Amino acid sequence: MAARDAIVIGAGIVGAACAAELAHAGLRVTLLEQAQPGTDATAAGMGHIVVMDDSPAQLALTHLSRQLWDNLAPSLPDTVEFDRCGTLWIAQDEEEMAEVHRKHATYGAAGVETEILDAAGLHAAEPNLAAGLAGGLLVPGDAVLYPPVAARFLVERAVASSAKFLADTPVASAQNHTVTLRDGSSLHADVIVNAAGASAGQLTPGLPIRKRKGHLVITDRYPGFCRHQLIELGYLKSAHSVSADSVAFNLQPRRTGQMLLGSSRQYTDESSAVDGRIVQAMIERAEHYAPGIGALSALRIWTGFRAATPDKLPLIGPSLADASVWLATGHEGLGITTSLATARLLADQLLGRPSPIAAEPYLPARFENAQKTGAHD
Amino acid sequence: MTRSFDIVVVGAGPAGIAAACAAAEQGRRVALLDDNPAPGGQIWRGPSTAHRDAVSRAKERWLHRLQQNPAITSLHGCRVFDVPGDGLLAAEQNGQRVDLRYSKVVLATGARELFLPFPGWTLPGVYGAGGLQAMVKAGLPVRDQRVVVAGSGPLLLAVAAYLRETGARVSAVCEQASWRSLLRFGASIAHTSRLWQAAGYRWRTRGTPFHAGCWPVAAHGGKTLESVTLSNGTRQWTVPCDLLACGFHLVPNTELASLLGCTLQQGFVTVDALQQTLIANVFCAGEPTGIGGLELSLAEGEVAGLAAAGAIRAAQARIPRRDRLRAFAAQLAVTFALRQELHSLSKADTIVCRCEDVTWRTVSQYTGWRAAKLQTRCGMGPCQGRICGSALNFLLEWSPDSVRPPIFPVSIASLAGPTASAPAELSAIQEN
């Protein structure tokens, strides 16, 4: 197959992964980044590599991606801080324990190892959790990493495969095989990959993407306060929503001994300012699950914007209006996990290779009718 | 808990004390808060020494004036970390959150020392110049310890004099500014009491060599400091010592001003003739508006306090004197401007960020502060980049990142809100 040119816009973790994959496959790739690698949503996220099963398509994509991260793990430099600490889904009551059993069965059917913990098992695994919780589901194969360094690592892999990387290079427009830079110059390629995250819609109008704001708090170093990525199963209720503001208990141990405390989801707030009301709700949720956490010291709070789609699946494949523009965006809160699978599916489609999983659920074309009827704004 | 005051003064150093007294004497209810356990700031910290100089006389006078005034509520051990709403500050005191409502606020947040990383600067025994003085005031014994005082600024001689009086053997005072700059500075203050003050410090450090145009290039030692290598640009020599007190003059604490939206120019808060910032009801006095020392801080504090209290004529009457003192501040900046050679103090293996153990080799390969922070965690530790950020601002001319709350580490419980608040709206935003 003849080498083709591809321009990837955005060196967040998704764009960086796409550039690395396409360059590795032999395409002549140029990766454009408006700032520096991994400085936007990638830097704002937790860096949780997690298998999720909101839908069969989400399970397939996250599972494939976790396998790809496992394959990559031995090559990751120490500074990526890849740590297979596992995810522990926490059940408050018997109703949520039923969800534990359902999840256990679903993951098991997909070949994902899990372990059901009763109340005593949960307490043994995480002594700082509140008494009286019903149990949990441990997913030992899940991991955490430090996203900005992971993104830079992928950029460096792309460059090692002869990709060209241009940092501090904002793009003004991208259509019809032509990328016009903010400085007025233009680049041409067979394929343009729009991996601009929550800003993707500015380059490709009409995308069914909305910004979904999140808050995170980072603590000082308390090694051992928690040992797994902890998520309340109530998270499923809040993450399922596509409209209302919500918070859920989500606590991540970093290799440094620090912890990241989340999470929140808001559609209506376009400002990057920290919202005290949300932080308060997040912390009260955390104190409910981990009563000792209030005494720990918080160093910083920040916000970021997820690129959310209506069905909570990313857009991977050719755009509807312009055959030269492909999309790799809309990853919501799962961009770190699904970046590698996204790159694989995108490259497979571009190169006509078979994919390990079906590509259809993630094709932008699934929104064709919706866009025509204006069902999504 | 939320407390309301007419005027909240943040920082109880000279500028803050002057502002609080001036405002309270106009009949306003004033809160004066500071993260230290007692008022006085850095310069008036701790008990006075036996030596009664202009600084200690001013201290006694102002602390007396402060303590006499029942309209001033002093909140010690209290640190503002957020601005949760208009006219509202969130602070933490003794681990508890306290919210302070104000009509006017005076920012008198002072300055901190500039540390420049050089090989060995992280060894035990190496302190800031003001830092070592504060440690000694807090009880660190220095009797018969061999001390080198180095860096830049008028503070060096004052610290050396203090250390001598507490029994230390100060073996050298090294000022990076040249003799030429210092002599020009001396001439410019010849008609003022400041020359006598400087001469006084020099008299009190007589017998200790004073080197101008001289700076530390490396500190040596196994477990603790054993010696320091000094340079004058043409020659290097090594001096044995137990302690090194080293600071390269001061950088202003402007985090709270930034969080309130105040405009900064070249790192300093922009104020009008009455010390008002470009944000309504927010005043600023002392080092954050320009490094000018004790007398200017007092003068600015009085103007700010009077203006915040609405006593505009009284404030205006003090403007000429303040402006004369500002001319001195401008001289300070010129005299103690840091020399080019200091840009190469850091070597590849030198730790730049002590919180996160980031070396000069690692951090200097990035093109800006944000990328360096994200890739190396430089500046992401408990000091929130106050030390390495200021150093890199000088060394690489990286401009600081935007300021976000909390501007100091606080407990997660304090972050959540005032203690006696209404129950959070958790149920309102948590879905069923």
Side-chain angles (χ1 to χ4, degrees):
Chain A
M1 184 178 305
R4 293 200 297 172
D5 287 320
I7 296 172
V8 179
I9 301 170
I13 193 130
V14 171
C18 290
E21 183 80 25
L22 295 175
H24 182 70
L27 269 68
R28 290 175 304 196
V29 175
T30 301
L31 175 60
L32 304 175
E33 164 56 41
Q34 61 172 350
Q36 292 284 319
T39 45
D40 208 348
T42 297
M46 270 188 158
H48 187 197
I49 308 296
V50 57
V51 175
M52 295 272 287
D53 66 339
D54 287 2
S55 63
Q58 190 188 57
L59 178 58
L61 191 68
T62 53
H63 187 203
L64 170 63
S65 220
R66 199 185 78 178
Q67 287 168 343
L68 295 173
W69 279 111
D70 279 339
N71 297 345
L72 194 58
S75 330
L76 293 173
D78 194 48
T79 47
V80 172
E81 299 178 3
F82 184 87
D83 179 11
R84 205 172 281 110
C85 62
T87 303
L88 185 45
W89 298 89
I90 303 165
Q92 281 200 88
D93 49 28
E94 287 315 308
E95 188 189 346
E96 289 182 359
M97 274 311 281
E99 176 64 15
V100 163
H101 287 280
R102 188 206 60 76
K103 225 172 156 60
H104 175 70
T106 307
Y107 280 45
V112 179
E113 183 197 344
T114 62
E115 183 188 338
I116 294 175
L117 304 181
D118 61 10
L122 181 65
H123 182 74
E126 293 288 351
N128 285 311
L129 285 178
L133 296 167
L137 183 72
L138 177 64
V139 188
D142 286 354
V144 303
L145 53 70
Y146 183 53
V149 176
R152 183 172 286 265
F153 167 77
L154 292 169
V155 170
E156 284 164 2
R157 268 174 89 91
V159 170
S161 299
S162 304
K164 192 191 280 185
F165 174 56
L166 299 174
D168 301 312
T169 306
V171 167
S173 71
Q175 56 196 338
N176 195 19
H177 301 283
T178 303
V179 172
T180 306
L181 304 181
R182 198 78 57 80
D183 68 11
S185 60
S186 52
L187 303 168
H188 306 278
D190 296 337
V191 176
I192 298 165
V193 179
N194 181 350
S199 311
Q202 291 167 20
L203 298 173
T204 308
L207 294 185
I209 286 181
R210 294 173 72 191
K211 288 184 173 185
R212 202 174 191 193
K213 182 175 175 176
H215 286 72
L216 285 178
V217 176
I218 190 164
T219 71
D220 206 340
R221 300 179 183 208
Y222 301 98
F225 185 89
C226 78
R227 301 160 183 176
H228 308 82
Q229 171 110 22
L230 304 178
I231 312 181
E232 62 162 297
L233 274 167
Y235 170 86
L236 297 171
K237 300 166 189 166
S238 61
H240 268 297
S241 161
V242 289
S243 56
D245 291 353
S246 62
V247 296
F249 173 58
N250 192 333
L251 188 66
Q252 177 183 86
R254 307 293 315 177
R255 208 182 55 183
T256 57
Q258 294 178 292
M259 284 175 286
L260 287 179
L261 172 62
S263 59
S264 73
R265 290 177 143 72
Q266 292 169 276
Y267 270 123
T268 45
D269 190 353
E270 294 265 316
S271 134
S272 64
V274 170
D275 181 340
R277 188 187 60 116
I278 293 288
V279 172
Q280 181 175 4
M282 247 166 61
I283 290 173
E284 291 187 0
R285 200 83 194 137
E287 288 181 317
H288 173 72
Y289 281 93
I293 203 166
L296 309 187
S297 181
L299 298 187
R300 293 186 307 278
I301 312 175
W302 66 87
T303 64
F305 292 97
R306 311 170 179 95
T309 61
D311 60 3
K312 303 201 298 108
L313 293 171
L315 303 169
I316 307 168
S319 70
L320 299 180
D322 185 336
S324 74
V325 175
W326 287 52
L327 301 171
T329 181
H331 293 75
E332 230 266 58
L334 288 169
I336 309 300
T337 297
T338 55
S339 55
L340 298 185
T342 296
R344 170 66 71 84
L345 293 181
L346 187 88
D348 289 346
Q349 290 177 64
L350 274 169
L351 298 165
R353 304 185 307 203
S355 284
I357 61 171
E360 286 73 19
Y362 323 104
L363 291 175
R366 72 186 187 274
F367 289 111
E368 190 163 21
N369 293 331
Q371 272 178 296
K372 278 178 185 160
T373 58
H376 299 285
D377 50 15
Chain B
M1 184 172 52
T2 301
R3 305 179 69 171
S4 294
F5 296 91
D6 297 326
I7 295 170
V8 171
V9 180
V10 183
I17 290 171
C21 290
E25 286 158 12
Q26 296 296 318
R28 298 293 181 272
R29 285 180 315 110
V30 178
L32 175 61
L33 58 99
D34 197 288
D35 56 352
N36 286 291
Q42 302 303 328
I43 189 164
W44 290 340
R45 179 191 293 274
S48 303
T49 55
H51 192 95
R52 284 182 51 81
D53 57 9
V55 172
S56 57
R57 283 193 299 272
K59 172 185 171 181
E60 282 164 27
R61 201 165 59 240
W62 279 99
L63 287 183
H64 180 74
R65 197 166 154 188
L66 173 67
Q67 280 141 14
Q68 288 304 301
N69 202 316
I72 300 173
T73 304
S74 281
L75 301 170
H76 306 304
C78 183
R79 191 143 81 169
V80 175
F81 65 88
D82 194 5
V83 178
D86 262 0
L88 198 58
L89 303 173
E92 194 176 57
Q93 187 179 26
N94 305 322
Q96 297 293 312
R97 172 155 166 173
V98 184
D99 282 16
L100 301 161
R101 198 167 285 290
Y102 63 82
S103 301
K104 315 271 182 195
V105 64
V106 179
L107 308 178
T109 43
R112 56 181 178 261
E113 285 186 273
L114 175 63
F115 299 108
L116 296 180
F118 51 83
W121 78 294
T122 54
L123 274 172
V126 181
Y127 293 87
L132 180 59
Q133 187 176 29
M135 296 288 288
V136 175
K137 285 179 177 178
L140 180 77
V142 289
R143 180 156 298 282
D144 296 329
Q145 297 279 292
R146 297 163 303 169
V147 188
V148 170
V149 180
S152 194
L155 185 65
L156 297 186
L157 266 186
V159 168
Y162 177 81
L163 292 173
R164 288 246 316 213
E165 278 146 24
T166 48
R169 287 189 281 154
V170 180
S171 35
V173 179
C174 305
E175 165 60 60
Q176 59 87 37
S178 66
W179 273 120
R180 215 177 121 135
S181 297
L182 294 176
L183 290 173
R184 199 179 297 139
F185 182 61
S188 75
I189 60 171
H191 59 288
T192 69
S193 61
R194 290 170 188 285
L195 186 63
W196 292 108
Q197 195 180 326
Y201 283 131
R202 186 66 191 117
W203 171 249
R204 287 156 64 191
T205 56
R206 65 192 180 280
T208 295
F210 180 90
H211 305 286
C214 172
W215 59 93
V217 291
H220 316 280
K223 283 188 178 148
T224 61
L225 180 70
E226 289 163 15
S227 64
V228 57
T229 298
L230 304 168
S231 170
N232 62 9
T234 53
R235 190 170 74 84
Q236 295 195 352
W237 65 101
T238 299
V239 182
C241 59
D242 306 304
L243 296 167
L244 171 62
C246 182
F248 290 89
H249 210 184
L250 302 171
V251 286
N253 293 320
T254 55
E255 290 77 13
L256 181 55
S258 292
L259 200 58
L260 283 160
C262 300
T263 302
L264 269 64
Q265 277 182 310
Q266 288 165 347
F268 295 102
V269 179
T270 302
V271 288
D272 67 11
L274 293 171
Q275 304 292 141
Q276 179 155 354
T277 69
L278 299 186
I279 301 295
N281 304 321
V282 179
F283 296 74
C284 187
E287 311 291 32
T289 68
I291 303 298
L294 173 60
E295 285 186 65
L296 179 59
S297 290
L298 287 167
E300 289 194 358
E302 280 196 281
V303 173
L306 290 166
I312 303 302
R313 277 209 194 135
Q316 282 167 338
R318 284 166 171 77
I319 288 175
R321 177 163 183 276
R322 180 204 60 196
D323 288 350
R324 281 196 299 279
L325 292 165
R326 273 197 184 153
F328 169 73
Q331 284 290 330
L332 271 183
V334 173
T335 304
F336 297 105
L338 297 182
R339 59 175 57 235
Q340 276 303 313
E341 288 95 324
L342 298 176
H343 282 104
S344 49
L345 271 187
S346 296
K347 304 302 173 204
D349 290 334
T350 308
I351 300 275
V352 174
C353 170
R354 300 181 73 156
C355 299
E356 300 288 336
D357 285 349
V358 184
T359 62
W360 175 248
R361 179 195 291 114
T362 303
V363 75
S364 58
Q365 63 184 294
Y366 295 95
T367 53
W369 186 223
R370 180 159 166 76
K373 275 172 87 166
L374 288 173
Q375 294 294 325
T376 71
R377 287 219 182 77
C378 187
M380 305 270 254
C383 93
Q384 298 182 328
R386 279 177 173 75
I387 294 172
C388 63
S390 301
L392 291 168
N393 183 234
F394 169 73
L395 294 170
L396 295 170
E397 289 168 19
W398 285 353
S399 41
D401 228 353
S402 62
V403 173
R404 278 189 312 240
I407 57 172
F408 288 100
V410 284
S411 76
I412 286 177
S414 292
L415 210 53
T419 39
S421 69
E425 299 160 59
L426 182 65
S427 54
I429 62 170
Q430 178 71 23
E431 296 181 280
N432 302 314

